[in-house]
Amino acid sequence: MVTVTDPIFFGLSLLFLKSTVLGTPLISNEEIDPKSIKFLLDKGYLKTTQSEVGHLQQRDISGAIKRLQSFAKIPITGQLDAQTREYIFKPRCGMPDITSNSNRKRKRKYLLQGTKWLKQNLTWAVENDNNDGISRTDVQNIMRRSFEKWAAVTNLKFIELEKQPVNSADIRVSFEIKKHGDPYAFDGEGGTLAHAFYPLENTGLAGDCHFDDDEVFTIAANPSGSQKNLLWVAVHELGHSIGLEHSDVRGAIMYPWYTNFKGQDFDLTFDDISGVQSIYGYKVLPTSTTTYTPVVSKGVCPTYIGAILRIKEGKIERTLVFNKEKYYRLNHLDFGVDDGPYVVSSKFEGVTYVDAAFTINELHYFFYGDSFSVFNGFTMYKPARKISDGFYNLEAGFRDVDAALLIDYSVYFFKGEYYWRFSLQRNDYLLDSGYPKKIAANWYGLPNYVDAAFTWTNGEIYFFKGSEYYRVNKNRFSVEYGYPVKLSESFLKCSSQGDITSSSRSAKGHTSSYFILLITVLLIDWLRMREM
């Protein structure tokens, strides 16, 4: 964090910006108050040294304001207008938005601070009481819930120290006012709510979380007046404690400005989960000890794909093909059917059949009828909800999704001749304006109706219809040359129309032919790409 001392701002109240750049006034001819300058410096928008502050140029201030407006997603004017001032004085986290790490290209919306904890087991403790009347026990419960949200999606384990000496904890949580022993004094004026220290060298202040005790925190579900929800602020600050910087995604937990959160609970968003998992990896689930025994008659190969996804069993990744109330497992040698069929409800609680499915950060969304459920592996993560309750602006009762697909930050539904696109909004999805649209008008070469859609591990997009599949260029939304291809030539190859268990696929001599087939498929795809 940028350290700023009071003498730097002596005389800044006399700073007026009256010049123009290329004849266009970038900032109104008004006094730029010291607090705004301090904000732009502290949050990383104004790039200058202490000795240069007295010589600020209009273009310096204008550029800093534009960077702030871009991050906050408000109109970029370069002027210190009313909306920009609102964001300067709006309650928020005290950590900077732009650091030296921000100079590199953002491949995602989230941003990594660059340091991490070098161990998986981290201790924590609440060190003191607050002056808001929240009991120590209630604060501890809030912190437990906050740590659990990050632990649920990472391999980090947070262990509370309930006995002395709590000051030996890796992450020390305390309520402080004004100057409190670190370089970053609180303002006590409603601007900075809290701050937390990055993992850094894993020593000293690393990971520590400080709340401004001059602010009014509450554990109530519906904060009123100047109250701030302690759970939301705590989850945000712990994101910093484990290595995340601020995100410019509105609704993300790591968005720096307090968003007037109300409610009993909330989940991390896709942006937050993507960020932390890029540091510590995906959550490793316990190795499954379940023995796969087909619970319906064997001997019938699937003839079409209704939904398809990849799922982890412990450290092993499987590809599952769903055929309404049944599913099959594919092998990863030649993508043929390995074993099955199995009854969907025998492994996915409460799901009797699957219309469509997609995966985001190892969370699997299953759609059936007018409802959907979310699973982490084979364990239910969120119980059933109505599709229109989780995907906003759909008509009530929306049902029977033909296919679901994730591309970057957007989710696509396909149903009949139409498709819908949704953007992430906190923990749910908001229908983008202008949708639904006709498939034929925008996905060139696809049939009007599809059965399933899927993104392979290499980023290639596949659509399935009847006994055929299509590969689609995601930049042009068009079917690639040489498609469609018969499913029986790849995804639905079966050794016979009889027993299709894995044992029937392991006879001597099969391995070499599988490798030859795989090489042939890759060669054909390469030749197709050259002809495009």
Side-chain angles (χ1 to χ4, degrees):
M1 181 183 294
V2 179
T3 302
V4 183
T5 57
D6 293 339
I8 299 177
F9 299 98
F10 179 74
L12 279 180
S13 59
L14 301 178
L15 178 62
F16 290 81
L17 302 176
K18 298 182 178 180
S19 60
T20 62
V21 176
L22 298 180
T24 303
L26 298 177
I27 298 179
S28 301
N29 293 335
E30 59 178 323
E31 179 181 338
I32 304 300
D33 60 284
K35 189 167 183 178
S36 295
I37 297 291
K38 185 177 186 299
F39 177 92
L40 295 172
L41 280 166
D42 281 354
K43 302 307 179 280
Y45 295 111
L46 185 57
K47 301 297 183 182
T48 187
T49 64
Q50 294 183 4
S51 62
E52 295 172 330
V53 171
H55 304 283
L56 288 172
Q57 302 295 313
Q58 178 179 354
R59 66 177 69 246
D60 298 326
I61 302 295
S62 178
I65 291 174
K66 286 181 177 180
R67 286 188 283 274
L68 165 60
Q69 292 167 335
S70 175
F71 197 97
K73 299 295 188 293
I74 59 179
I76 300 174
T77 64
Q79 297 186 21
L80 199 60
D81 51 37
Q83 190 172 11
T84 305
R85 286 186 181 277
E86 176 187 348
Y87 275 82
I88 287 178
F89 293 99
K90 189 175 182 179
R92 53 162 289 149
C93 171
M95 303 300 283
D97 301 334
I98 298 179
T99 68
S100 58
N101 291 324
S102 307
N103 293 329
R104 58 183 170 79
K105 182 179 180 181
R106 286 174 182 259
K107 294 184 179 179
R108 302 288 185 188
K109 295 293 185 181
Y110 61 80
L111 193 62
L112 311 181
Q113 185 270 335
T115 63
K116 61 182 290 187
W117 290 98
L118 303 180
K119 55 185 178 181
Q120 288 189 349
N121 295 337
L122 300 175
T123 58
W124 66 275
V126 176
E127 292 192 325
N128 64 352
D129 293 320
N130 62 86
N131 61 22
D132 294 319
I134 306 174
S135 70
R136 178 81 70 96
T137 299
D138 284 339
V139 171
Q140 289 171 321
N141 287 335
I142 289 293
M143 296 309 301
R144 290 187 194 108
R145 290 171 62 190
S146 303
F147 281 109
E148 286 169 1
K149 291 185 184 300
W150 294 110
V153 297
T154 71
N155 297 308
L156 294 175
K157 183 178 181 181
F158 301 100
I159 304 164
E160 182 179 5
L161 295 185
E162 300 185 58
K163 297 180 180 180
Q164 299 294 336
V166 294
N167 60 3
S168 64
D170 295 312
I171 299 175
R172 300 163 61 181
V173 179
S174 61
F175 292 81
E176 311 287 351
I177 60 173
K178 301 299 193 309
K179 293 182 179 180
H180 54 276
D182 65 39
Y184 314 113
F186 285 129
D187 56 16
E189 299 176 357
T192 298
L193 302 177
H195 59 224
F197 294 86
Y198 298 120
L200 301 174
E201 300 299 323
N202 291 198
T203 59
L205 289 169
D208 289 358
C209 178
H210 298 163
F211 297 91
D212 186 350
D213 212 13
D214 281 333
E215 305 297 336
V216 183
F217 293 105
T218 181
I219 60 173
N222 296 300
S224 60
S226 61
Q227 293 179 331
K228 302 297 183 294
N229 185 283
L230 181 60
L231 177 63
W232 190 95
V233 178
V235 174
H236 175 98
E237 296 305 329
L238 292 182
H240 293 314
S241 296
I242 56 179
L244 284 176
E245 289 194 351
H246 283 149
S247 168
D248 62 356
V249 175
R250 287 178 181 268
I253 300 302
M254 296 313 298
Y255 187 66
W257 286 278
Y258 184 77
T259 54
N260 296 318
F261 172 80
K262 293 184 179 181
Q264 292 287 353
D265 202 2
F266 55 88
D267 294 319
L268 299 177
T269 68
F270 171 47
D271 187 70
D272 304 308
I273 296 172
S274 297
V276 74
Q277 289 185 342
S278 68
I279 304 175
Y280 299 103
Y282 294 124
K283 179 78 170 179
V284 176
L285 301 174
T287 303
S288 174
T289 58
T290 304
T291 301
Y292 271 83
T293 302
V295 287
V296 295
S297 300
K298 295 185 294 183
V300 178
C301 290
T303 57
Y304 81 98
I305 293 177
I308 182 171
L309 58 77
R310 293 170 68 88
I311 193 168
K312 278 191 176 180
E313 292 183 77
K315 295 184 179 181
I316 301 175
E317 193 165 31
R318 303 282 190 184
T319 301
L320 306 185
V321 164
F322 294 85
N323 208 321
K324 286 299 183 182
E325 75 280 359
K326 304 173 185 177
Y327 74 91
Y328 302 77
R329 298 195 304 174
L330 304 187
N331 70 76
H332 289 172
L333 185 59
D334 64 348
F335 312 127
V337 176
D338 205 18
D339 54 19
Y342 305 99
V343 173
V344 169
S345 59
S346 68
K347 293 291 288 185
F348 300 97
E349 179 185 355
V351 181
T352 56
Y353 67 95
V354 177
D355 289 328
F358 76 88
T359 299
I360 181 170
N361 276 359
E362 296 196 343
L363 294 180
H364 309 293
Y365 285 64
F366 292 96
F367 299 87
Y368 44 94
D370 63 355
S371 302
F372 74 99
S373 297
V374 184
F375 283 76
N376 185 342
F378 294 94
T379 303
M380 181 176 288
Y381 183 79
K382 286 185 180 180
R385 299 170 65 189
K386 297 298 183 184
I387 296 174
S388 54
D389 289 340
F391 293 81
Y392 300 145
N393 290 349
L394 285 174
E395 65 270 21
F398 185 90
R399 59 179 297 121
D400 303 330
V401 179
D402 292 333
L405 182 67
L406 177 73
I407 302 179
D408 297 328
Y409 283 88
S410 298
V411 172
Y412 293 79
F413 283 175
F414 296 81
K415 178 181 176 180
E417 299 181 41
Y418 293 89
Y419 74 99
W420 291 251
R421 190 182 73 191
F422 302 84
S423 296
L424 184 67
Q425 192 81 337
R426 194 177 286 276
N427 308 306
D428 294 309
Y429 294 87
L430 180 68
L431 182 65
D432 289 339
S433 61
Y435 289 86
K437 297 181 179 181
K438 284 264 192 170
I439 295 175
N442 295 283
W443 296 79
Y444 305 109
L446 275 185
N448 287 336
Y449 300 83
V450 297
D451 295 330
F454 179 61
T455 302
W456 194 246
T457 54
N458 60 2
E460 298 288 354
I461 297 173
Y462 293 90
F463 283 84
F464 303 87
K465 172 64 178 175
S467 61
E468 298 178 322
Y469 71 95
Y470 301 74
R471 194 171 77 187
V472 171
N473 184 299
K474 73 175 184 179
N475 296 318
R476 298 194 301 268
F477 281 13
S478 61
V479 173
E480 295 188 351
Y481 177 78
Y483 289 87
V485 174
K486 291 291 185 182
L487 280 170
S488 57
E489 296 178 12
S490 57
F491 288 97
L492 296 187
K493 286 195 297 292
C494 286
S495 58
S496 68
Q497 291 299 313
D499 189 347
I500 57 170
T501 59
S502 56
S503 60
S504 69
R505 303 183 62 83
S506 60
K508 291 182 179 179
H510 282 289
T511 301
S512 60
S513 62
Y514 289 158
F515 277 117
I516 293 172
L517 179 59
L518 183 60
I519 292 171
T520 302
V521 170
L522 293 174
L523 179 60
I524 291 173
D525 277 347
W526 179 76
L527 290 173
R528 286 171 177 157
M529 291 296 291
R530 284 178 59 88
E531 294 178 9
M532 290 181 62

